[in-house]
């Protein structure tokens, strides 16, 4: 292994110095973790020529639901489909409003459009990056049916306060835990709080089985409506007399069956997940402990001793305080960290509410924007333009996303922390170059360019 002693007072790699990260990363970022057992399980489905069957998928759903202590699990071909099923399952429809965060992946909210409903965005809490319960209540109207919560970046949202608002106003709660598999909120696993919960299981997520998603609920009627919607081949499982009469064809015209190769892979991951997660948790907590020593960079993590955890830690987010660096932009800071051989990009995610799909686009030819197509004339509150969600809009200059370690290799992790430390202690050298934004790393760079 290379020498990990990096002199943090040395010339930045961006300005021609040596890099902080020099060791071979080995499999510290390899994801998902694929074992011989996974390979065997997938081959078994292949050899049985049962890629479209249901038995393995049903086993996977049951095993995952059991792990969470939930009654029903429904595997889907992706998380977007599982969210669509969840909204239909809850009866979200024409003219309804769903309150959710603008700082999320689009699939959290966009499926409600195709049900005739619309979205009302609430701001996020800058400490958790999750929906802020203090910004929800004043947005509730007679049309509001549900609140959707995203445990953003693996960080559990403030469920106590969200659930009490929902109860007071008789609203449903949907949890999108696509970033937070295995995370605990005050000792209880996320995905168990809402009327419905949904997780993507796509390859990049913290529980990764390929392209897949899953929905959980304890309410039989909600589960059966979800079956009715996108799972016609399972309509025989429907017990409700009211729903039975629609058996045979998928209400809505969707087919959302999960692929059995993914289900087989997932069954093995379920067995190994606690161990994988605890490795990741050790690695990420170690990295956070090192980064916390740097003034101006605050990792987003649950308070110690709160029995709240980030589970598989989808992504590592931290808050960047440019005042501690004489106004150096996060973009330039990130560029310098990347040049050191670590991972760092600015923004994390671009706010959804400012995108034309949520502003002006008339998707279904209503003659007015889809966002307000099924609302009253008096729907000015749905015009959430520039400046309407100040915290969410400020985050592109504050939130940085860095390395997400899948193995606990302290020596490698230390080098990455050194990269951050080195840039932080030599930031003055970057100030003369700060007007030149040349950063091009990270998958969010196209977003960033669009939002300029
Ligand atoms: C990935 C993701 C989804 C959608 O899942 P897919 O499997 O990609 O369809 C939904 N919500 C969040 C927060 C996500 O990160």
């Amino acid at each position: 292994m290379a020498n990990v002693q990096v002199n943090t007072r040395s010339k930045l790699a961006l300005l021609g110095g040596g890099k902080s990260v020099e060791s071979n990363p080995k499999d510290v970022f390899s994801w998902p973790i694929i074992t011989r057992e996974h390979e065997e399980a997938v081959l078994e489905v292949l050899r049985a020529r049962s890629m479209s069957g249901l038995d393995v998928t049903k086993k996977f759903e049951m095993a995952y639901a059991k792990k969470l202590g939930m009654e029903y699990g429904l595997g889907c071909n992706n998380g977007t489909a599982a969210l669509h099923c969840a909204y239909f399952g809850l009866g979200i429809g024409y003219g309804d409003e769903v309150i959710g965060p603008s700082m999320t992946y689009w699939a959290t909210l966009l499926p409600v459009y195709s049900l005739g409903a619309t979205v009302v965005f609430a701001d996020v809490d800058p400490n958790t990056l999750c929906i802020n319960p203090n910004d929800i209540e004043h947005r509730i109207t007679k049309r509001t049916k549900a609140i959707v919560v995203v445990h953003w970046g693996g960080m559990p949202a403030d469920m106590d306060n969200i659930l009490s608002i929902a109860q007071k106003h008789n609203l449903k709660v949907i949890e999108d835990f696509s970033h937070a598999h295995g995370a605990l909120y005050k000792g209880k696993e996320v995905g168990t709080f809402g009327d419905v919960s949904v997780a993507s299981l796509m390859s990049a997520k913290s529980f990764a089985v390929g392209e897949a998603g899953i929905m959980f609920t304890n309410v039989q009627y909600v589960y059966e409506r979800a079956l009715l919607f996108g799972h016609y081949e399972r309509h025989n499982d429907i017990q409700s007399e009211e729903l039975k009469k629609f058996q045979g064809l998928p209400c809505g015209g969707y087919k959302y069956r999960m692929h059995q190769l993914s289900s087989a892979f997932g069954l093995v991951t379920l067995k190994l997940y606690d161990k994988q997660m605890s490795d990741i948790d050790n690695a990420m907590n170690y990295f956070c402990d090192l980064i916390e020593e740097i003034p101006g960079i605050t990792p987003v993590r649950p308070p110690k001793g709160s029995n709240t955890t980030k589970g598989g830690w989808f992504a590592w987010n931290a808050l960047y305080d440019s005042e501690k660096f004489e106004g150096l932009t996060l973009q330039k800071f990130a560029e310098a960290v990347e040049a050191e051989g670590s991972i760092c990009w600015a923004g994390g995610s671009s706010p959804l509410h400012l995108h034309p799909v949520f502003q002006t686009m008339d998707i279904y030819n209503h003659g007015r924007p889809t966002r307000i197509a099924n609302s009253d004339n008096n729907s000015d509150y749905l015009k959430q333009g520039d400046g309407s969600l100040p915290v969410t809009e400020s985050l592109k200059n504050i939130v940085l996303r860095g390395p997400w370690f899948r193995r606990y290799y302290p020596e490698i992790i230390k080098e990455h922390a050194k990269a951050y430390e080195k840039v932080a202690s030599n930031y003055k050298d970057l100030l003369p170059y700060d007007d030149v934004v040349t950063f091009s790393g990270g998958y969010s760079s196209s977003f960033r360019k669009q939002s300029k």
Side-chain angles (χ1 to χ4, degrees):
M1 181 167 299
N3 177 13
V4 298
Q5 297 301 316
V6 175
N7 177 2
T8 59
R9 301 274 164 213
S10 59
K11 193 169 186 183
L12 292 171
L14 189 65
L15 305 177
K19 289 186 175 200
S20 305
V21 180
E22 293 197 292
S23 309
N24 180 338
K26 299 190 281 186
D27 53 1
V28 76
F29 296 122
S30 300
W31 194 251
I33 295 169
I34 299 171
T35 63
R36 180 63 57 87
E37 205 179 343
H38 284 104
E39 291 172 2
E40 286 304 322
V42 168
L43 281 174
E44 204 175 302
V45 175
L46 266 184
R47 288 176 184 139
R49 292 185 167 72
S50 181
M51 281 81 88
S52 294
L54 283 169
D55 54 324
V56 183
T57 295
K58 285 185 172 175
K59 274 187 202 145
F60 172 65
E61 293 166 346
M62 273 161 59
Y64 204 156
K66 187 167 172 217
K67 182 173 182 294
L68 285 179
M70 296 295 283
E71 205 64 43
Y72 304 98
L74 178 61
C76 294
N77 55 339
N78 56 45
T80 307
L83 278 152
H84 207 189
C85 287
Y87 285 118
F88 184 84
L90 288 175
I92 303 298
Y94 186 86
D96 291 342
E97 291 173 1
V98 175
I99 298 179
S102 172
M103 171 117 169
T104 183
Y105 183 72
W106 53 263
T108 303
L109 290 156
L110 263 183
V112 306
Y113 268 10
S114 71
L115 300 171
T118 195
V119 173
V120 175
F121 292 104
D123 219 337
V124 294
D125 177 332
N127 299 307
T128 61
L129 308 180
C130 299
I131 194 167
N132 186 342
N134 297 326
D135 196 48
I136 292 175
E137 224 165 349
H138 67 105
R139 300 184 187 277
I140 296 172
T141 72
K142 62 180 193 306
R143 291 175 175 274
T144 310
K145 292 286 156 52
I147 301 169
V148 56
V149 175
V150 181
H151 305 291
W152 179 254
M155 182 78 180
D158 179 358
M159 292 313 296
D160 283 348
N161 285 315
I162 292 160
L163 291 172
S164 91
I165 293 166
Q167 200 167 22
K168 185 170 153 199
H169 297 274
N170 195 23
L171 304 177
K172 302 296 182 197
V173 172
I174 297 143
E175 276 183 277
D176 180 348
F177 67 109
S178 300
H179 297 183
H181 315 80
L184 301 178
Y185 173 73
K186 297 186 178 175
K188 190 168 180 260
E189 202 159 330
V190 304
T192 62
F193 292 92
D195 296 279
V196 182
S197 64
V198 172
S200 170
L201 307 173
M202 176 257 178
S203 319
K205 307 298 165 91
S206 43
F207 189 111
V209 310
E211 289 299 325
I214 193 160
M215 182 199 106
F216 296 102
T217 183
N218 286 327
V219 185
Q220 186 174 354
Y221 189 71
V222 171
Y223 168 70
E224 293 189 357
R225 272 185 65 94
L227 289 183
L228 198 61
F229 189 58
H231 297 265
Y232 77 93
E233 76 284 13
R234 295 168 66 157
H235 281 185
N236 285 341
D237 295 347
I238 293 175
Q239 306 291 316
S240 153
E241 289 304 327
E242 191 193 327
L243 300 178
K244 261 187 180 166
K245 54 179 177 276
F246 304 113
Q247 277 174 344
L249 295 180
C251 299
Y254 299 99
K255 184 184 168 205
Y256 285 159
R257 187 188 307 173
M258 183 169 170
H259 200 300
Q260 290 224 125
L261 293 183
S262 292
S263 311
F265 190 95
L267 266 169
V268 177
T269 301
L270 267 180
K271 279 199 292 183
L272 307 177
Y273 194 59
D274 286 348
K275 166 76 177 76
Q276 290 180 1
M277 211 171 45
S278 98
D279 262 12
I280 293 172
D281 202 43
N282 284 337
M284 295 311 299
N285 278 313
Y286 179 59
F287 185 62
C288 287
D289 289 345
L290 296 172
I291 294 291
E292 258 168 8
E293 302 291 315
I294 306 172
I297 312 238
T298 310
V300 178
R301 67 193 297 196
K304 288 192 176 120
S306 62
N307 205 8
T308 294
T309 73
K310 289 183 70 173
W313 288 76
F314 174 83
W316 178 73
N317 291 309
L319 306 177
Y320 175 81
D321 179 359
S322 69
E323 280 182 23
K324 292 281 193 311
F325 305 103
E326 292 179 58
L328 182 76
T329 60
L330 173 53
Q331 283 72 15
K332 188 52 72 176
F333 184 92
E335 190 185 350
V337 174
E338 292 249 316
E340 293 297 326
S342 186
I343 296 161
C344 187
W345 74 79
S349 153
S350 160
L352 292 178
H353 66 286
L354 301 177
H355 192 282
V357 162
F358 285 108
Q359 291 289 334
T360 51
M361 191 173 180
D362 177 6
I363 301 169
Y364 305 112
N365 297 335
H366 278 100
R368 54 191 198 140
T370 301
R371 184 84 185 284
I372 58 165
N374 302 329
S375 305
D376 304 326
N377 288 329
N378 187 15
S379 54
D380 278 356
Y381 62 95
L382 290 175
K383 294 180 188 137
Q384 296 181 278
D386 248 324
S388 60
L389 297 173
V391 177
T392 303
E393 290 167 36
S394 71
L395 291 173
K396 66 176 187 296
N397 299 318
I398 296 173
V399 173
L400 66 78
R401 186 172 283 185
W404 174 21
F405 303 102
R406 280 27 169 261
R407 313 265 182 172
Y408 180 47
Y409 297 152
E411 294 310 315
I412 293 178
I413 295 169
K414 232 188 282 182
E415 284 189 6
H416 285 265
K418 287 277 183 207
Y420 279 76
E421 246 173 82
K422 183 178 163 197
V423 174
S425 37
N426 294 280
Y427 74 89
K428 280 180 197 291
D429 299 345
L430 291 168
L431 291 170
Y433 304 97
D434 199 21
D435 54 333
V436 192
V437 179
T438 52
F439 179 77
S440 62
Y443 79 78
S444 68
S445 59
S446 61
F447 256 143
R448 206 171 28 252
K449 278 173 208 139
Q450 284 165 31
S451 61
K452 265 210 200 111

mmCIF file of all heavy atoms in Angstrom, residues 340-370:
data_model
loop_
_atom_site.group_PDB
_atom_site.id
_atom_site.type_symbol
_atom_site.label_atom_id
_atom_site.label_comp_id
_atom_site.label_asym_id
_atom_site.label_seq_id
_atom_site.Cartn_x
_atom_site.Cartn_y
_atom_site.Cartn_z
ATOM 1 N N GLU A 340 -7.468 15.742 -6.242
ATOM 2 C CA GLU A 340 -6.667 14.989 -5.269
ATOM 3 C C GLU A 340 -6.882 13.479 -5.398
ATOM 4 O O GLU A 340 -6.269 12.691 -4.687
ATOM 5 C CB GLU A 340 -7.016 15.409 -3.837
ATOM 6 C CG GLU A 340 -6.628 16.846 -3.470
ATOM 7 C CD GLU A 340 -5.123 17.096 -3.515
ATOM 8 O OE1 GLU A 340 -4.342 16.170 -3.189
ATOM 9 O OE2 GLU A 340 -4.724 18.213 -3.889
ATOM 10 N N GLY A 341 -7.847 13.088 -6.225
ATOM 11 C CA GLY A 341 -8.107 11.659 -6.424
ATOM 12 C C GLY A 341 -9.265 11.145 -5.590
ATOM 13 O O GLY A 341 -9.559 9.949 -5.576
ATOM 14 N N SER A 342 -9.951 12.053 -4.883
ATOM 15 C CA SER A 342 -11.129 11.613 -4.133
ATOM 16 C C SER A 342 -12.379 11.951 -4.936
ATOM 17 O O SER A 342 -12.297 12.246 -6.137
ATOM 18 C CB SER A 342 -11.160 12.267 -2.748
ATOM 19 O OG SER A 342 -12.229 11.723 -1.993
ATOM 20 N N ILE A 343 -13.509 11.903 -4.284
ATOM 21 C CA ILE A 343 -14.792 12.131 -4.953
ATOM 22 C C ILE A 343 -15.485 13.289 -4.270
ATOM 23 O O ILE A 343 -15.580 13.319 -3.034
ATOM 24 C CB ILE A 343 -15.659 10.857 -4.860
ATOM 25 C CG1 ILE A 343 -14.985 9.722 -5.629
ATOM 26 C CG2 ILE A 343 -17.069 11.108 -5.357
ATOM 27 C CD1 ILE A 343 -15.478 8.356 -5.251
ATOM 28 N N CYS A 344 -15.944 14.234 -5.049
ATOM 29 C CA CYS A 344 -16.636 15.379 -4.459
ATOM 30 C C CYS A 344 -17.380 16.102 -5.564
ATOM 31 O O CYS A 344 -16.802 16.432 -6.588
ATOM 32 C CB CYS A 344 -15.616 16.337 -3.820
ATOM 33 S SG CYS A 344 -16.378 17.681 -2.879
ATOM 34 N N TRP A 345 -18.677 16.296 -5.390
ATOM 35 C CA TRP A 345 -19.357 17.173 -6.334
ATOM 36 C C TRP A 345 -20.391 18.016 -5.623
ATOM 37 O O TRP A 345 -20.830 17.700 -4.528
ATOM 38 C CB TRP A 345 -19.870 16.456 -7.556
ATOM 39 C CG TRP A 345 -21.080 15.601 -7.412
ATOM 40 C CD1 TRP A 345 -22.364 16.005 -7.371
ATOM 41 C CD2 TRP A 345 -21.105 14.161 -7.357
ATOM 42 N NE1 TRP A 345 -23.187 14.929 -7.293
ATOM 43 C CE2 TRP A 345 -22.458 13.800 -7.294
ATOM 44 C CE3 TRP A 345 -20.121 13.177 -7.382
ATOM 45 C CZ2 TRP A 345 -22.844 12.469 -7.215
ATOM 46 C CZ3 TRP A 345 -20.522 11.857 -7.309
ATOM 47 C CH2 TRP A 345 -21.862 11.509 -7.234
ATOM 48 N N ALA A 346 -20.727 19.090 -6.289
ATOM 49 C CA ALA A 346 -21.551 20.115 -5.667
ATOM 50 C C ALA A 346 -23.022 19.904 -5.979
ATOM 51 O O ALA A 346 -23.377 19.512 -7.071
ATOM 52 C CB ALA A 346 -21.120 21.481 -6.172
ATOM 53 N N GLY A 347 -23.874 20.173 -5.006
ATOM 54 C CA GLY A 347 -25.303 20.267 -5.286
ATOM 55 C C GLY A 347 -26.095 19.026 -4.961
ATOM 56 O O GLY A 347 -27.150 19.106 -4.365
ATOM 57 N N GLY A 348 -25.606 17.873 -5.338
ATOM 58 C CA GLY A 348 -26.317 16.621 -5.048
ATOM 59 C C GLY A 348 -27.517 16.425 -5.951
ATOM 60 O O GLY A 348 -27.645 15.429 -6.627
ATOM 61 N N SER A 349 -28.393 17.403 -6.017
ATOM 62 C CA SER A 349 -29.618 17.241 -6.790
ATOM 63 C C SER A 349 -30.193 18.612 -7.083
ATOM 64 O O SER A 349 -30.141 19.498 -6.257
ATOM 65 C CB SER A 349 -30.594 16.393 -5.985
ATOM 66 O OG SER A 349 -31.917 16.680 -6.320
ATOM 67 N N SER A 350 -30.745 18.744 -8.273
ATOM 68 C CA SER A 350 -31.283 20.036 -8.664
ATOM 69 C C SER A 350 -32.766 20.092 -8.263
ATOM 70 O O SER A 350 -33.472 19.103 -8.385
ATOM 71 C CB SER A 350 -31.047 20.138 -10.161
ATOM 72 O OG SER A 350 -31.850 21.058 -10.746
ATOM 73 N N PRO A 351 -33.261 21.234 -7.754
ATOM 74 C CA PRO A 351 -34.644 21.290 -7.275
ATOM 75 C C PRO A 351 -35.647 20.954 -8.374
ATOM 76 O O PRO A 351 -35.528 21.445 -9.494
ATOM 77 C CB PRO A 351 -34.821 22.747 -6.837
ATOM 78 C CG PRO A 351 -33.464 23.327 -6.725
ATOM 79 C CD PRO A 351 -32.562 22.523 -7.603
ATOM 80 N N LEU A 352 -36.608 20.108 -8.041
ATOM 81 C CA LEU A 352 -37.597 19.706 -9.045
ATOM 82 C C LEU A 352 -38.565 20.823 -9.395
ATOM 83 O O LEU A 352 -38.996 20.946 -10.545
ATOM 84 C CB LEU A 352 -38.428 18.522 -8.517
ATOM 85 C CG LEU A 352 -37.734 17.179 -8.332
ATOM 86 C CD1 LEU A 352 -38.725 16.165 -7.750
ATOM 87 C CD2 LEU A 352 -37.197 16.672 -9.661
ATOM 88 N N HIS A 353 -38.913 21.642 -8.398
ATOM 89 C CA HIS A 353 -40.033 22.571 -8.609
ATOM 90 C C HIS A 353 -39.766 23.602 -9.699
ATOM 91 O O HIS A 353 -40.693 24.157 -10.267
ATOM 92 C CB HIS A 353 -40.422 23.269 -7.299
ATOM 93 C CG HIS A 353 -39.400 24.192 -6.734
ATOM 94 N ND1 HIS A 353 -38.250 23.740 -6.115
ATOM 95 C CD2 HIS A 353 -39.325 25.548 -6.693
ATOM 96 C CE1 HIS A 353 -37.535 24.785 -5.709
ATOM 97 N NE2 HIS A 353 -38.164 25.895 -6.052
ATOM 98 N N LEU A 354 -38.478 23.849 -10.004
ATOM 99 C CA LEU A 354 -38.150 24.866 -11.015
ATOM 100 C C LEU A 354 -38.095 24.292 -12.440
ATOM 101 O O LEU A 354 -37.986 25.031 -13.401
ATOM 102 C CB LEU A 354 -36.808 25.536 -10.663
ATOM 103 C CG LEU A 354 -36.784 26.219 -9.288
ATOM 104 C CD1 LEU A 354 -35.411 26.799 -8.993
ATOM 105 C CD2 LEU A 354 -37.858 27.305 -9.199
ATOM 106 N N HIS A 355 -38.185 22.987 -12.538
ATOM 107 C CA HIS A 355 -38.134 22.365 -13.867
ATOM 108 C C HIS A 355 -39.456 22.630 -14.616
ATOM 109 O O HIS A 355 -40.524 22.602 -14.004
ATOM 110 C CB HIS A 355 -37.895 20.862 -13.717
ATOM 111 C CG HIS A 355 -37.556 20.193 -15.017
ATOM 112 N ND1 HIS A 355 -38.508 19.880 -15.954
ATOM 113 C CD2 HIS A 355 -36.369 19.813 -15.540
ATOM 114 C CE1 HIS A 355 -37.926 19.319 -17.001
ATOM 115 N NE2 HIS A 355 -36.619 19.268 -16.771
ATOM 116 N N PRO A 356 -39.376 22.849 -15.932
ATOM 117 C CA PRO A 356 -40.593 23.130 -16.711
ATOM 118 C C PRO A 356 -41.699 22.070 -16.572
ATOM 119 O O PRO A 356 -42.878 22.391 -16.706
ATOM 120 C CB PRO A 356 -40.087 23.186 -18.158
ATOM 121 C CG PRO A 356 -38.626 23.465 -18.058
ATOM 122 C CD PRO A 356 -38.156 22.956 -16.740
ATOM 123 N N VAL A 357 -41.329 20.835 -16.289
ATOM 124 C CA VAL A 357 -42.356 19.797 -16.126
ATOM 125 C C VAL A 357 -43.266 20.118 -14.930
ATOM 126 O O VAL A 357 -44.441 19.762 -14.913
ATOM 127 C CB VAL A 357 -41.695 18.402 -15.982
ATOM 128 C CG1 VAL A 357 -42.652 17.386 -15.392
ATOM 129 C CG2 VAL A 357 -41.234 17.921 -17.353
ATOM 130 N N PHE A 358 -42.717 20.836 -13.965
ATOM 131 C CA PHE A 358 -43.532 21.241 -12.816
ATOM 132 C C PHE A 358 -43.989 22.701 -12.919
ATOM 133 O O PHE A 358 -44.595 23.233 -12.000
ATOM 134 C CB PHE A 358 -42.766 21.033 -11.501
ATOM 135 C CG PHE A 358 -42.690 19.587 -11.100
ATOM 136 C CD1 PHE A 358 -41.496 18.886 -11.183
ATOM 137 C CD2 PHE A 358 -43.822 18.920 -10.654
ATOM 138 C CE1 PHE A 358 -41.431 17.546 -10.817
ATOM 139 C CE2 PHE A 358 -43.766 17.584 -10.287
ATOM 140 C CZ PHE A 358 -42.564 16.892 -10.371
ATOM 141 N N GLN A 359 -43.651 23.359 -14.012
ATOM 142 C CA GLN A 359 -44.046 24.758 -14.169
ATOM 143 C C GLN A 359 -45.016 24.949 -15.336
ATOM 144 O O GLN A 359 -46.155 25.328 -15.129
ATOM 145 C CB GLN A 359 -42.797 25.637 -14.373
ATOM 146 C CG GLN A 359 -41.906 25.759 -13.137
ATOM 147 C CD GLN A 359 -42.528 26.612 -12.040
ATOM 148 O OE1 GLN A 359 -43.349 27.476 -12.306
ATOM 149 N NE2 GLN A 359 -42.146 26.355 -10.798
ATOM 150 N N THR A 360 -44.551 24.651 -16.527
ATOM 151 C CA THR A 360 -45.318 25.063 -17.709
ATOM 152 C C THR A 360 -45.815 23.923 -18.594
ATOM 153 O O THR A 360 -46.716 24.116 -19.400
ATOM 154 C CB THR A 360 -44.436 25.960 -18.607
ATOM 155 O OG1 THR A 360 -43.191 25.280 -18.817
ATOM 156 C CG2 THR A 360 -44.162 27.301 -17.938
ATOM 157 N N MET A 361 -45.241 22.765 -18.467
ATOM 158 C CA MET A 361 -45.536 21.744 -19.466
ATOM 159 C C MET A 361 -46.981 21.217 -19.374
ATOM 160 O O MET A 361 -47.458 20.873 -18.301
ATOM 161 C CB MET A 361 -44.568 20.569 -19.350
ATOM 162 C CG MET A 361 -44.703 19.634 -20.540
ATOM 163 S SD MET A 361 -43.449 18.356 -20.536
ATOM 164 C CE MET A 361 -43.911 17.487 -22.040
ATOM 165 N N ASP A 362 -47.608 21.146 -20.540
ATOM 166 C CA ASP A 362 -48.970 20.616 -20.647
ATOM 167 C C ASP A 362 -48.856 19.207 -21.232
ATOM 168 O O ASP A 362 -48.952 19.002 -22.438
ATOM 169 C CB ASP A 362 -49.799 21.532 -21.561
ATOM 170 C CG ASP A 362 -51.209 21.012 -21.789
ATOM 171 O OD1 ASP A 362 -51.595 20.003 -21.149
ATOM 172 O OD2 ASP A 362 -51.926 21.607 -22.606
ATOM 173 N N ILE A 363 -48.659 18.248 -20.364
ATOM 174 C CA ILE A 363 -48.315 16.894 -20.819
ATOM 175 C C ILE A 363 -49.479 16.216 -21.538
ATOM 176 O O ILE A 363 -49.296 15.523 -22.524
ATOM 177 C CB ILE A 363 -47.843 16.033 -19.624
ATOM 178 C CG1 ILE A 363 -46.619 16.682 -18.972
ATOM 179 C CG2 ILE A 363 -47.528 14.610 -20.073
ATOM 180 C CD1 ILE A 363 -46.229 16.072 -17.637
ATOM 181 N N TYR A 364 -50.703 16.418 -21.016
ATOM 182 C CA TYR A 364 -51.849 15.666 -21.540
ATOM 183 C C TYR A 364 -52.810 16.521 -22.379
ATOM 184 O O TYR A 364 -53.989 16.188 -22.492
ATOM 185 C CB TYR A 364 -52.595 15.000 -20.379
ATOM 186 C CG TYR A 364 -51.698 14.118 -19.520
ATOM 187 C CD1 TYR A 364 -51.400 14.467 -18.203
ATOM 188 C CD2 TYR A 364 -51.151 12.947 -20.030
ATOM 189 C CE1 TYR A 364 -50.565 13.669 -17.420
ATOM 190 C CE2 TYR A 364 -50.322 12.154 -19.253
ATOM 191 C CZ TYR A 364 -50.041 12.517 -17.947
ATOM 192 O OH TYR A 364 -49.230 11.729 -17.186
ATOM 193 N N ASN A 365 -52.295 17.630 -22.898
ATOM 194 C CA ASN A 365 -53.130 18.506 -23.743
ATOM 195 C C ASN A 365 -54.395 19.009 -23.036
ATOM 196 O O ASN A 365 -55.490 18.965 -23.599
ATOM 197 C CB ASN A 365 -53.516 17.805 -25.050
ATOM 198 C CG ASN A 365 -52.311 17.479 -25.890
ATOM 199 O OD1 ASN A 365 -51.263 18.136 -25.766
ATOM 200 N ND2 ASN A 365 -52.411 16.461 -26.717
ATOM 201 N N HIS A 366 -54.246 19.467 -21.824
ATOM 202 C CA HIS A 366 -55.377 20.059 -21.111
ATOM 203 C C HIS A 366 -55.625 21.505 -21.542
ATOM 204 O O HIS A 366 -56.651 22.080 -21.206
ATOM 205 C CB HIS A 366 -55.104 20.075 -19.602
ATOM 206 C CG HIS A 366 -55.387 18.775 -18.921
ATOM 207 N ND1 HIS A 366 -54.408 17.874 -18.591
ATOM 208 C CD2 HIS A 366 -56.546 18.236 -18.487
ATOM 209 C CE1 HIS A 366 -54.951 16.826 -17.987
ATOM 210 N NE2 HIS A 366 -56.245 17.018 -17.921
ATOM 211 N N GLY A 367 -54.634 22.082 -22.182
ATOM 212 C CA GLY A 367 -54.748 23.506 -22.514
ATOM 213 C C GLY A 367 -54.172 24.393 -21.435
ATOM 214 O O GLY A 367 -54.244 25.618 -21.517
ATOM 215 N N ARG A 368 -53.652 23.806 -20.398
ATOM 216 C CA ARG A 368 -52.905 24.545 -19.380
ATOM 217 C C ARG A 368 -51.915 23.602 -18.709
ATOM 218 O O ARG A 368 -52.004 22.384 -18.892
ATOM 219 C CB ARG A 368 -53.824 25.221 -18.373
ATOM 220 C CG ARG A 368 -54.832 24.320 -17.690
ATOM 221 C CD ARG A 368 -55.819 25.206 -16.934
ATOM 222 N NE ARG A 368 -56.561 24.476 -15.920
ATOM 223 C CZ ARG A 368 -56.842 24.960 -14.728
ATOM 224 N NH1 ARG A 368 -56.387 26.147 -14.365
ATOM 225 N NH2 ARG A 368 -57.553 24.261 -13.875
ATOM 226 N N PRO A 369 -50.967 24.159 -17.948
ATOM 227 C CA PRO A 369 -49.923 23.279 -17.399
ATOM 228 C C PRO A 369 -50.515 22.113 -16.596
ATOM 229 O O PRO A 369 -51.490 22.285 -15.851
ATOM 230 C CB PRO A 369 -49.125 24.212 -16.482
ATOM 231 C CG PRO A 369 -49.351 25.586 -17.027
ATOM 232 C CD PRO A 369 -50.743 25.575 -17.578
ATOM 233 N N THR A 370 -49.932 20.957 -16.748
ATOM 234 C CA THR A 370 -50.401 19.762 -16.039
ATOM 235 C C THR A 370 -50.429 19.981 -14.527
ATOM 236 O O THR A 370 -51.311 19.487 -13.840
ATOM 237 C CB THR A 370 -49.479 18.578 -16.403
ATOM 238 O OG1 THR A 370 -49.534 18.418 -17.816
ATOM 239 C CG2 THR A 370 -49.909 17.296 -15.722
#
